[in-house]
Amino acid sequence: MAPALTPGRVIDRYELEEELGVGSFGSVWRARHTVLHATHAVKILHTDLGDRPILRDRFLQEGRIQAQLVHPNIVRVTDVVDADGFAMLVMDHVAGPSLEDHLRARKHPLTLDEAIRLLRPVLDALQLAHERGVVHRDMKPANILLAGGTLSHPRVVDFGIAKVADHEAVRGTGVRGTAMGTQMGTASYMSPEQIKGAVLADARSDVFACGAILYELLTLDLAFDGGSNYEVWEAIVRGPRPSVTGTPALAARFGPGADAVDEVLAKATATDPDTRYASCGALALALEALPHALATTVTTDRGEPSEGASERGTPSPPPFR
């Protein structure tokens, strides 16, 4: 059995400094390279999972594939370690909160302009991953880090349950898919097909999750919620789709553009993946085409009014922090 993880423990060339979080697959630590003295984030597979050779090999192999995802808005894997009884992925360290933490601390939702400017680079990053044959399958605000604490530098993290598709870039790596019927992801962001089984997830499942995130950015509410995972999944499968026109106060925030926002939300979170946006790139184009210049006066996170444009005017964007 591998020794317990504690600050000061050295695994290979990395000294653990502080535990940053724990998940179902492993724990994440801030660590220091003992030779270069560079700071990294390391994800260490739980030892009970690491003792299962198939899971351990897949964890390390997916890390090697993620290392190929070079994009300014992806937290890149820079090393994989299999030593001292531990399987570990070494990643860029991002100093800043998660989008989930940021949203919890906000008093007001993001404006449409802010939401688009935040999601655009995230969608670009996912598009690159999809083109490399990698589907994230757990997109949610907790897996978007805000470098420097600002909304203008989002970085996607934790492809730890990513599905590696049958793609030219990854064929021959020995990575196998997830068994039919296995559920992976976070309830409120899981597409209907992902609820049926993780093996059914493809790029459109990440589109669904980003549609749910868009609604959350604009309202600070979950797109799909319930008292249990079952109730959440029922809402996802049976509807209704997230909407900003269903509530008068929300509809007033977006003015004449509210219906267009609803159309994007409905298409991004469509129950049938064949009627959803076919790619993150397509969703990004739809966001760019939204008539957000039509937005009425909104309230910024500082509680100050920010004047939107008239129907024919050009908007004055609110502070973007």
Side-chain angles (χ1 to χ4, degrees):
M1 179 179 294
L5 298 174
T6 55
R9 173 165 181 78
V10 176
I11 302 174
D12 195 52
R13 295 157 294 165
Y14 300 92
E15 180 182 353
L16 304 183
E17 294 185 332
E18 179 187 4
E19 188 176 60
L20 303 177
V22 180
S24 57
F25 282 79
S27 57
V28 178
W29 289 72
R30 187 182 71 243
R32 181 180 63 89
H33 194 289
T34 57
V35 178
L36 301 176
H37 304 295
T39 299
H40 298 271
V42 297
K43 183 170 186 178
I44 306 171
L45 189 66
H46 289 318
T47 52
D48 59 332
L49 299 178
D51 288 339
R52 299 162 65 181
I54 292 177
L55 288 179
R56 185 186 190 92
D57 290 347
R58 175 167 180 155
F59 177 79
L60 294 171
Q61 184 59 47
E62 287 196 353
R64 295 183 183 101
I65 291 169
Q66 291 166 42
Q68 301 174 25
L69 303 181
V70 181
H71 188 283
N73 298 101
I74 291 178
V75 177
R76 190 163 65 100
V77 172
T78 58
D79 195 5
V80 293
V81 173
D82 187 4
D84 304 328
F86 294 102
M88 184 170 77
L89 305 185
V90 181
M91 301 170 286
D92 297 330
H93 178 261
V94 178
S98 69
L99 178 58
E100 178 183 54
D101 291 338
H102 176 85
L103 293 178
R104 285 178 177 173
R106 285 184 71 100
K107 296 179 180 178
H108 304 286
L110 275 67
T111 66
L112 186 55
D113 280 333
E114 285 178 322
I116 291 172
R117 289 161 64 188
L118 170 67
L119 276 182
R120 189 66 170 87
V122 169
L123 291 167
D124 286 346
L126 289 171
Q127 182 67 30
L128 177 136
H130 296 161
E131 290 169 0
R132 299 291 188 274
V134 180
V135 182
H136 193 289
R137 294 198 302 182
D138 197 22
M139 279 305 303
K140 57 186 177 182
N143 283 337
I144 299 174
L145 302 183
L146 303 178
T150 68
L151 292 169
S152 56
H153 294 94
R155 300 186 69 184
V156 180
V157 70
D158 202 358
F159 284 80
I161 65 169
K163 175 185 176 182
V164 181
D166 182 20
H167 189 279
E168 193 68 39
V170 297
R171 286 176 189 161
T173 60
V175 177
R176 301 189 177 203
T178 305
M180 175 69 82
T182 303
Q183 288 176 335
M184 289 185 172
T186 301
S188 293
Y189 308 92
M190 291 174 67
S191 64
E193 64 274 15
Q194 196 171 350
I195 292 170
K196 294 178 182 178
V199 71
L200 300 175
D202 61 20
R204 296 168 299 179
S205 300
D206 286 348
V207 169
F208 182 96
C210 287
I213 291 171
L214 173 63
Y215 180 82
E216 191 170 347
L217 296 177
L218 298 176
T219 66
L220 298 185
D221 292 324
L222 291 172
F224 303 98
D225 202 2
S228 66
N229 283 352
Y230 179 80
E231 291 179 2
V232 173
W233 292 332
E234 279 283 298
I236 287 172
V237 173
R238 302 187 186 281
R241 299 300 94 186
S243 167
V244 298
T245 57
T247 305
L250 268 181
R253 280 188 58 216
F254 299 100
D259 287 337
V261 174
D262 270 4
E263 288 177 10
V264 171
L265 288 169
K267 189 172 178 65
T269 62
T271 303
D272 183 355
D274 289 337
T275 61
R276 215 174 290 155
Y277 293 108
S279 68
C280 284
L283 174 55
L285 290 175
L287 289 176
E288 293 290 349
L290 277 174
H292 47 96
L294 301 179
T296 56
T297 301
V298 298
T299 305
T300 71
D301 196 32
R302 294 173 179 170
E304 303 165 346
S306 174
E307 295 297 329
S310 65
E311 187 165 339
R312 295 186 180 182
T314 301
S316 174
F320 191 66
R321 302 184 288 114

XYZ file of all heavy atoms in Angstrom, residues 194-272:
573
model
N -25.516 11.075 -22.362
C -24.505 10.738 -21.359
C -25.155 10.092 -20.136
O -24.540 9.244 -19.476
C -23.756 12.007 -20.962
C -22.453 11.780 -20.224
C -21.673 13.073 -20.054
O -22.020 14.096 -20.642
N -20.631 13.039 -19.252
N -26.386 10.491 -19.841
C -27.119 9.872 -18.737
C -27.348 8.389 -19.030
O -27.255 7.530 -18.144
C -28.461 10.597 -18.512
C -28.196 12.024 -17.987
C -29.342 9.837 -17.531
C -29.427 12.904 -17.956
N -27.617 8.067 -20.288
C -27.844 6.664 -20.683
C -26.564 5.847 -20.566
O -26.592 4.681 -20.227
C -28.373 6.605 -22.107
C -29.757 7.224 -22.284
C -30.178 7.175 -23.744
C -31.525 7.837 -23.952
N -31.917 7.844 -25.394
N -25.425 6.461 -20.866
C -24.160 5.747 -20.772
C -23.035 6.602 -21.299
O -23.168 7.267 -22.338
N -21.907 6.624 -20.569
C -20.796 7.504 -20.923
C -20.253 7.222 -22.318
O -19.735 8.117 -22.990
C -19.675 7.365 -19.891
N -20.380 5.982 -22.776
C -19.831 5.626 -24.078
C -20.553 6.357 -25.205
O -20.028 6.491 -26.317
C -19.905 4.090 -24.280
C -21.333 3.633 -24.495
C -19.012 3.647 -25.435
N -21.770 6.847 -24.944
C -22.547 7.539 -25.963
C -22.153 9.004 -26.111
O -22.590 9.670 -27.041
C -24.045 7.439 -25.637
C -24.614 6.019 -25.555
C -26.066 6.050 -25.097
C -24.492 5.323 -26.906
N -21.356 9.505 -25.201
C -20.983 10.915 -25.236
C -20.049 11.204 -26.399
O -19.138 10.437 -26.697
C -20.310 11.309 -23.917
N -20.284 12.332 -27.073
C -19.363 12.802 -28.099
C -19.241 14.315 -27.961
O -19.627 14.879 -26.931
C -19.805 12.359 -29.505
C -21.183 12.894 -29.900
O -21.647 13.886 -29.301
O -21.798 12.318 -30.814
N -18.709 14.975 -28.965
C -18.471 16.415 -28.875
C -19.745 17.183 -28.543
O -19.713 18.210 -27.849
C -17.876 16.927 -30.187
N -20.886 16.684 -28.992
C -22.148 17.373 -28.737
C -22.547 17.319 -27.263
O -23.338 18.148 -26.803
C -23.244 16.785 -29.627
C -22.982 16.996 -31.118
C -23.906 16.179 -31.991
N -23.725 14.744 -31.750
C -24.432 13.793 -32.364
N -25.353 14.144 -33.269
N -24.212 12.521 -32.103
N -21.997 16.363 -26.520
C -22.241 16.319 -25.075
C -21.546 17.495 -24.387
O -22.087 18.080 -23.440
C -21.744 14.994 -24.495
O -22.409 13.902 -25.090
N -20.356 17.860 -24.852
C -19.687 19.048 -24.326
C -20.439 20.311 -24.721
O -20.483 21.288 -23.965
C -18.243 19.113 -24.834
C -17.325 18.103 -24.148
O -17.736 17.512 -23.127
O -16.198 17.904 -24.637
N -21.053 20.314 -25.925
C -21.890 21.445 -26.341
C -23.043 21.615 -25.363
O -23.355 22.733 -24.932
C -22.428 21.229 -27.777
C -23.505 22.256 -28.111
C -21.298 21.307 -28.793
N -23.693 20.508 -25.007
C -24.812 20.549 -24.057
C -24.370 21.187 -22.741
O -25.043 22.080 -22.204
C -25.326 19.132 -23.803
C -26.504 19.069 -22.872
C -27.795 19.013 -23.373
C -26.328 19.056 -21.490
C -28.893 18.962 -22.513
C -27.411 19.011 -20.633
C -28.701 18.958 -21.145
N -23.239 20.721 -22.221
C -22.747 21.252 -20.945
C -22.472 22.749 -21.045
O -22.770 23.505 -20.115
C -21.492 20.503 -20.527
N -21.917 23.184 -22.165
C -21.625 24.616 -22.329
C -22.908 25.430 -22.428
O -22.962 26.574 -21.972
C -20.750 24.834 -23.562
S -19.037 24.278 -23.325
N -23.971 24.844 -23.004
C -25.261 25.521 -23.008
C -25.798 25.698 -21.596
O -26.333 26.762 -21.246
N -25.638 24.662 -20.767
C -26.062 24.760 -19.367
C -25.237 25.797 -18.618
O -25.762 26.555 -17.790
C -25.947 23.392 -18.693
N -23.941 25.858 -18.917
C -23.074 26.856 -18.277
C -23.489 28.259 -18.704
O -23.507 29.191 -17.886
C -21.599 26.583 -18.635
C -21.122 25.288 -17.975
C -20.707 27.751 -18.188
C -19.751 24.824 -18.443
N -23.823 28.438 -19.985
C -24.262 29.756 -20.467
C -25.448 30.254 -19.656
O -25.469 31.413 -19.212
C -24.624 29.668 -21.948
C -25.269 30.920 -22.552
C -24.316 32.112 -22.497
C -25.724 30.649 -23.988
N -26.434 29.395 -19.457
C -27.605 29.802 -18.676
C -27.202 30.191 -17.258
O -27.684 31.188 -16.713
C -28.625 28.665 -18.634
C -29.865 29.013 -17.832
C -30.902 29.754 -18.401
C -29.993 28.609 -16.501
C -32.037 30.084 -17.668
C -31.121 28.926 -15.763
C -32.138 29.662 -16.344
O -33.253 29.999 -15.609
N -26.314 29.423 -16.668
C -25.869 29.704 -15.302
C -25.133 31.035 -15.220
O -25.282 31.794 -14.249
C -24.978 28.565 -14.810
C -24.663 28.607 -13.330
C -23.993 27.334 -12.844
O -23.981 26.335 -13.583
O -23.478 27.350 -11.712
N -24.341 31.357 -16.232
C -23.647 32.641 -16.259
C -24.634 33.805 -16.294
O -24.419 34.848 -15.663
C -22.736 32.721 -17.482
C -21.563 31.741 -17.560
C -20.820 31.919 -18.882
C -20.610 31.916 -16.388
N -25.723 33.619 -17.027
C -26.684 34.701 -17.235
C -27.691 34.849 -16.108
O -28.371 35.877 -16.013
C -27.442 34.469 -18.548
C -26.601 34.464 -19.824
C -27.467 34.126 -21.023
C -25.911 35.808 -20.028
N -27.801 33.832 -15.247
C -28.832 33.850 -14.210
C -28.320 33.544 -12.809
O -29.017 33.821 -11.820
C -29.921 32.809 -14.530
O -29.351 31.494 -14.456
C -30.509 33.045 -15.924
N -27.143 32.941 -12.700
C -26.601 32.406 -11.449
C -27.425 31.238 -10.920
O -27.266 30.837 -9.756
C -26.473 33.495 -10.365
C -25.526 34.652 -10.677
C -25.413 35.586 -9.478
C -24.148 34.158 -11.088
N -28.304 30.685 -11.746
C -29.081 29.505 -11.388
C -28.649 28.329 -12.269
O -28.203 28.528 -13.399
C -30.582 29.746 -11.600
C -31.137 30.769 -10.632
O -30.684 30.804 -9.467
O -32.023 31.544 -11.040
N -28.825 27.114 -11.762
C -28.548 25.937 -12.571
C -29.591 25.807 -13.674
O -30.784 26.045 -13.448
C -28.554 24.680 -11.705
C -27.410 24.528 -10.694
C -27.679 23.325 -9.787
C -26.075 24.374 -11.399
N -29.149 25.428 -14.852
C -30.088 25.216 -15.953
C -31.021 24.049 -15.645
O -32.186 24.046 -16.037
C -29.316 24.967 -17.244
N -30.487 23.029 -14.962
C -31.263 21.843 -14.605
C -30.980 21.528 -13.145
O -29.829 21.325 -12.764
C -30.881 20.654 -15.493
C -31.050 20.929 -16.964
C -29.965 21.299 -17.743
C -32.306 20.831 -17.562
C -30.115 21.567 -19.088
C -32.466 21.106 -18.913
C -31.372 21.469 -19.683
N -32.033 21.494 -12.333
C -31.830 21.318 -10.901
C -32.900 20.389 -10.354
O -33.918 20.118 -11.005
C -31.893 22.671 -10.192
C -31.196 22.664 -8.837
O -30.625 21.611 -8.473
O -31.228 23.696 -8.146
N -32.683 19.895 -9.150
C -33.635 19.006 -8.502
C -33.101 18.555 -7.160
O -31.943 18.808 -6.812
N -33.965 17.874 -6.417
C -33.579 17.432 -5.087
C -32.677 16.224 -5.079
O -32.120 15.879 -4.041
N -32.545 15.555 -6.215
C -31.689 14.385 -6.330
C -31.167 14.313 -7.751
O -31.659 15.000 -8.647
C -32.478 13.106 -6.006
O -33.480 12.889 -6.993
N -30.159 13.474 -7.962
C -29.648 13.293 -9.321
C -30.751 12.806 -10.253
O -30.829 13.230 -11.418
C -28.488 12.290 -9.327
C -27.192 12.913 -8.827
O -27.104 14.115 -8.607
N -26.188 12.082 -8.639
N -31.610 11.935 -9.755
C -32.697 11.415 -10.586
C -33.602 12.553 -11.060
O -33.983 12.608 -12.240
C -33.512 10.375 -9.819
C -34.672 9.828 -10.616
C -34.474 8.829 -11.572
C -35.965 10.320 -10.421
C -35.536 8.333 -12.314
C -37.031 9.830 -11.159
C -36.807 8.839 -12.107
O -37.861 8.363 -12.848
N -33.960 13.466 -10.152
C -34.816 14.593 -10.525
C -34.124 15.509 -11.526
O -34.753 16.046 -12.444
C -35.224 15.378 -9.277
C -36.182 14.624 -8.370
C -36.544 15.419 -7.130
O -36.081 16.579 -7.002
O -37.291 14.885 -6.286
N -32.822 15.692 -11.349
C -32.063 16.512 -12.308
C -32.083 15.854 -13.674
O -32.328 16.507 -14.700
C -30.608 16.700 -11.820
C -29.774 17.388 -12.895
C -30.570 17.508 -10.532
N -31.826 14.558 -13.716
C -31.802 13.843 -14.993
C -33.182 13.841 -15.652
O -33.290 13.919 -16.875
C -31.292 12.420 -14.784
C -29.842 12.382 -14.411
C -28.881 13.299 -14.742
C -29.184 11.387 -13.629
N -27.668 12.932 -14.205
C -27.817 11.765 -13.528
C -29.604 10.216 -13.004
C -26.879 11.009 -12.826
C -28.671 9.452 -12.307
C -27.327 9.855 -12.218
N -34.245 13.758 -14.848
C -35.599 13.861 -15.395
C -35.804 15.210 -16.072
O -36.387 15.298 -17.154
C -36.632 13.678 -14.272
C -36.905 12.242 -13.888
C -37.810 11.566 -14.899
O -38.960 12.001 -15.081
O -37.361 10.580 -15.530
N -35.328 16.269 -15.427
C -35.459 17.615 -16.004
C -34.677 17.726 -17.308
O -35.130 18.351 -18.277
C -34.981 18.662 -14.996
N -33.491 17.107 -17.335
C -32.659 17.170 -18.537
C -33.330 16.441 -19.699
O -33.366 16.931 -20.830
C -31.275 16.564 -18.247
C -30.465 17.511 -17.360
C -30.514 16.262 -19.539
C -29.165 16.928 -16.847
N -33.900 15.277 -19.422
C -34.486 14.457 -20.488
C -35.854 14.983 -20.914
O -36.172 15.011 -22.108
C -34.587 12.989 -20.021
C -35.353 12.145 -21.037
C -33.193 12.412 -19.800
N -36.656 15.432 -19.965
C -38.049 15.770 -20.264
C -38.301 17.265 -20.417
O -39.358 17.686 -20.877
C -38.971 15.195 -19.182
C -38.833 13.677 -19.043
C -39.865 13.101 -18.099
N -39.643 11.680 -17.867
C -39.988 10.718 -18.709
N -40.584 11.031 -19.840
N -39.753 9.441 -18.422
N -37.345 18.104 -19.988
C -37.534 19.536 -20.147
C -38.219 20.155 -18.951
O -38.429 19.491 -17.942
N -38.562 21.438 -19.036
C -38.356 22.300 -20.210
C -36.894 22.705 -20.385
O -36.082 22.523 -19.474
C -39.235 23.513 -19.887
C -39.195 23.596 -18.392
C -39.177 22.155 -17.916
N -36.596 23.264 -21.559
C -35.247 23.765 -21.809
C -35.039 25.064 -21.027
O -35.991 25.792 -20.749
C -35.035 24.039 -23.301
C -35.166 22.827 -24.214
C -34.163 21.750 -23.879
N -34.686 20.727 -22.975
C -33.967 19.750 -22.450
N -32.685 19.641 -22.717
N -34.521 18.871 -21.647
N -33.798 25.380 -20.664
C -33.538 26.644 -19.954
C -33.960 27.835 -20.807
O -33.789 27.836 -22.025
C -32.026 26.612 -19.729
C -31.500 25.608 -20.688
C -32.575 24.600 -20.896
N -34.536 28.844 -20.155
C -35.102 29.980 -20.881
C -34.939 31.263 -20.077
O -35.073 31.246 -18.851
C -36.587 29.725 -21.145
O -37.242 30.894 -21.568
N -34.656 32.361 -20.760
C -34.607 33.668 -20.090
C -35.893 34.451 -20.303
O -36.075 35.509 -19.709
C -33.398 34.504 -20.566
C -32.091 33.810 -20.234
C -33.487 34.831 -22.056
N -36.786 33.948 -21.154
C -38.044 34.673 -21.392
C -39.160 34.190 -20.479
O -40.214 34.818 -20.405
C -38.504 34.508 -22.856
O -38.644 33.114 -23.157
C -37.510 35.138 -23.815
N -38.933 33.077 -19.769
C -39.975 32.548 -18.897
C -40.177 33.380 -17.646
O -41.205 33.268 -16.980
N -39.198 34.203 -17.300
C -39.285 35.069 -16.122
C -39.248 36.521 -16.575
O -38.296 36.935 -17.253
C -38.103 34.808 -15.166
O -38.067 33.421 -14.836
C -38.221 35.645 -13.905
N -40.264 37.314 -16.237
C -40.307 38.708 -16.712
C -39.050 39.509 -16.391
O -38.560 40.260 -17.235
C -41.530 39.271 -15.980
C -42.407 38.086 -15.749
C -41.476 36.941 -15.487
N -38.513 39.333 -15.180
C -37.324 40.108 -14.806
C -36.138 39.738 -15.692
O -35.349 40.597 -16.093
C -36.984 39.870 -13.341
N -36.017 38.443 -16.004
C -34.926 38.012 -16.874
C -35.133 38.523 -18.286
O -34.207 39.023 -18.934
C -34.844 36.484 -16.895
C -33.924 35.796 -15.891
C -33.976 34.293 -16.093
C -32.501 36.303 -16.033
N -36.354 38.385 -18.787
C -36.641 38.830 -20.150
C -36.346 40.312 -20.309
O -35.831 40.755 -21.339
C -38.094 38.524 -20.500
N -36.633 41.089 -19.272
C -36.396 42.534 -19.338
C -34.911 42.848 -19.445
O -34.517 43.840 -20.078
C -36.993 43.212 -18.107
N -34.066 42.008 -18.840
C -32.617 42.260 -18.906
C -32.102 42.199 -20.333
O -31.172 42.913 -20.693
C -31.865 41.219 -18.072
C -31.844 41.473 -16.579
C -30.903 40.494 -15.903
N -29.569 40.600 -16.448
C -28.744 39.571 -16.613
N -29.130 38.365 -16.286
N -27.537 39.762 -17.107
N -32.689 41.324 -21.142
C -32.171 41.110 -22.495
C -32.991 41.833 -23.554
O -32.599 41.867 -24.719
C -32.118 39.608 -22.793
C -31.220 38.873 -21.857
C -31.728 38.164 -20.785
C -29.839 38.925 -22.011
C -30.893 37.500 -19.900
C -28.995 38.267 -21.125
C -29.529 37.564 -20.073
N -34.123 42.402 -23.150
C -34.899 43.213 -24.073
C -35.279 42.454 -25.329
O -35.609 41.259 -25.286
N -35.216 43.117 -26.495
C -35.623 42.472 -27.749
C -34.772 41.260 -28.117
O -35.174 40.468 -28.961
C -35.427 43.590 -28.792
C -35.455 44.866 -28.008
C -34.845 44.531 -26.680
N -33.599 41.121 -27.503
C -32.732 39.997 -27.830
C -33.015 38.741 -27.029
O -32.373 37.711 -27.244
N -34.006 38.784 -26.109
C -34.252 37.649 -25.222
C -34.645 36.383 -25.991
O -34.196 35.283 -25.666
C -35.336 38.000 -24.205
N -35.490 36.526 -27.018
C -35.907 35.355 -27.794
C -34.721 34.702 -28.484
O -34.639 33.468 -28.578
C -36.959 35.748 -28.831
C -38.318 36.037 -28.195
O -38.567 35.537 -27.076
O -39.119 36.758 -28.813
N -33.796 35.520 -28.967
C -32.614 34.976 -29.642
C -31.731 34.215 -28.656
O -31.155 33.178 -28.996
C -31.820 36.095 -30.307
N -31.625 34.722 -27.433
C -30.854 34.014 -26.401
C -31.506 32.668 -26.116
O -30.825 31.634 -26.012
C -30.767 34.852 -25.109
C -30.084 34.058 -23.998
C -30.009 36.150 -25.357
N -32.829 32.653 -26.008
C -33.542 31.400 -25.764
C -33.325 30.393 -26.888
O -33.214 29.179 -26.640
C -35.038 31.674 -25.599
C -35.412 31.931 -24.146
O -34.502 31.965 -23.291
O -36.612 32.100 -23.856
N -33.286 30.867 -28.122
C -33.069 29.963 -29.256
C -31.708 29.281 -29.148
O -31.572 28.076 -29.412
C -33.175 30.735 -30.567
C -34.596 31.162 -30.921
C -34.638 31.997 -32.188
O -33.602 32.073 -32.887
O -35.698 32.577 -32.471
N -30.688 30.038 -28.743
C -29.352 29.457 -28.582
C -29.345 28.449 -27.435
O -28.810 27.345 -27.550
C -28.303 30.554 -28.352
C -26.958 29.944 -27.967
C -28.149 31.413 -29.604
N -29.965 28.817 -26.302
C -30.020 27.911 -25.158
C -30.748 26.616 -25.511
O -30.302 25.520 -25.161
C -30.721 28.597 -23.983
C -29.937 29.708 -23.266
C -30.860 30.460 -22.310
C -28.749 29.133 -22.502
N -31.874 26.743 -26.234
C -32.663 25.563 -26.586
C -31.900 24.646 -27.540
O -31.932 23.418 -27.394
C -33.989 25.989 -27.210
N -31.201 25.224 -28.499
C -30.463 24.402 -29.465
C -29.223 23.776 -28.824
O -28.878 22.634 -29.108
C -30.068 25.243 -30.681
C -29.482 24.430 -31.844
C -29.290 25.285 -33.081
C -28.651 24.484 -34.221
N -29.518 23.404 -34.708
N -28.564 24.515 -27.942
C -27.369 23.986 -27.287
C -27.709 22.837 -26.343
O -26.911 21.907 -26.170
C -26.646 25.088 -26.525
N -28.896 22.883 -25.717
C -29.273 21.865 -24.730
C -30.390 20.965 -25.250
O -31.123 20.360 -24.453
C -29.709 22.521 -23.402
O -30.870 23.342 -23.633
C -28.595 23.377 -22.818
N -30.524 20.852 -26.564
C -31.566 20.004 -27.143
C -31.422 18.568 -26.654
O -30.309 18.048 -26.508
C -31.492 20.052 -28.666
N -32.556 17.920 -26.407
C -32.536 16.541 -25.937
C -31.896 15.608 -26.959
O -31.095 14.735 -26.617
C -33.972 16.074 -25.622
O -34.550 16.956 -24.664
C -33.963 14.660 -25.062
N -32.251 15.795 -28.213
C -31.708 14.966 -29.295
C -30.385 15.566 -29.770
O -30.366 16.699 -30.264
C -32.705 14.922 -30.450
C -32.250 14.028 -31.602
O -31.099 13.519 -31.545
O -33.031 13.854 -32.549
